[in-house]
Amino acid sequence: MEIALADLDSPAFAALLEEHRRAMQATAPAESQHALDLTGLRRADVRVWVLHEDGALLGCGALQHLDAAHAEIKAMRTARAHLRRGVARTLLDHLIAQARRDGYARLSLETGSMAYFEPARRLYANAGFVPCAPFAGYVDDPHSVYLTRTL
């Protein structure tokens, strides 16, 4: 498996992002969907990485700069065909290590509260993330869980 900065113009990346968008639409009301679209992922304060193996796109993850000490994990997605292979853990480990290299002291994220997101919440808990209050403009939402960890 190889991690690299994402080619946001790649048709495979666009397909993975569309898969992510469809899953979010099926699991949460529109006002509780906080996934960045392609325009959001192109912002200067966001960097996106992808994981490939033998030419196949396995998943993606991003870091969004919030301030000098705080970044947010965005766009975490494992391609449906590659679930339960350690893709998300590999990407999460990379994002945590990158955030440390970038000098952030805190890393946070928002994920869903529904059963669909239970595997993601377990992944984050196993990586040291703990519940926190809404951050960076998020508001209390019964469909969202906010998590953070110090680096």
Side-chain angles (χ1 to χ4, degrees):
M1 290 190 217
E2 178 183 326
I3 296 177
L5 284 169
D7 173 1
L8 301 182
D9 295 320
S10 158
F13 184 78
L16 182 62
L17 200 58
E18 177 61 18
E19 180 182 305
H20 187 53
R21 187 190 65 76
R22 282 192 311 264
M24 297 306 100
Q25 286 178 333
T27 58
E31 66 273 10
S32 298
Q33 296 173 29
H34 303 290
L36 293 176
D37 61 10
L38 194 52
T39 300
L41 293 173
R42 290 184 189 281
R43 292 176 27 177
D45 63 345
V46 177
R47 287 174 297 154
V48 184
W49 288 268
V50 290
L51 182 64
H52 285 97
E53 182 178 58
D54 299 327
L57 177 56
L58 308 183
C60 64
L63 287 177
Q64 182 173 16
H65 173 87
L66 299 177
D67 64 43
H70 192 191
E72 180 179 1
I73 293 177
K74 299 293 286 184
M76 281 288 291
R77 182 69 185 183
T78 299
R80 200 170 336 184
H82 301 286
L83 291 171
R84 312 292 178 259
R85 295 189 49 214
V87 170
R89 185 63 206 218
T90 299
L91 284 163
L92 181 59
D93 288 347
H94 175 80
L95 294 175
I96 292 168
Q98 184 64 52
R100 279 190 180 116
R101 281 191 296 274
D102 291 345
Y104 292 109
R106 180 175 169 209
L107 191 55
S108 301
L109 63 96
E110 178 276 338
T111 191
S113 64
M114 294 71 76
Y116 175 85
F117 296 97
E118 178 58 30
R121 292 192 306 270
R122 274 195 313 272
L123 170 73
Y124 298 131
N126 288 339
F129 286 83
V130 296
C132 67
F135 60 93
Y138 289 108
V139 297
D140 279 325
D141 181 342
H143 301 287
S144 290
V145 172
Y146 306 99
L147 303 170
T148 196
R149 67 163 286 170
T150 57
L151 300 173

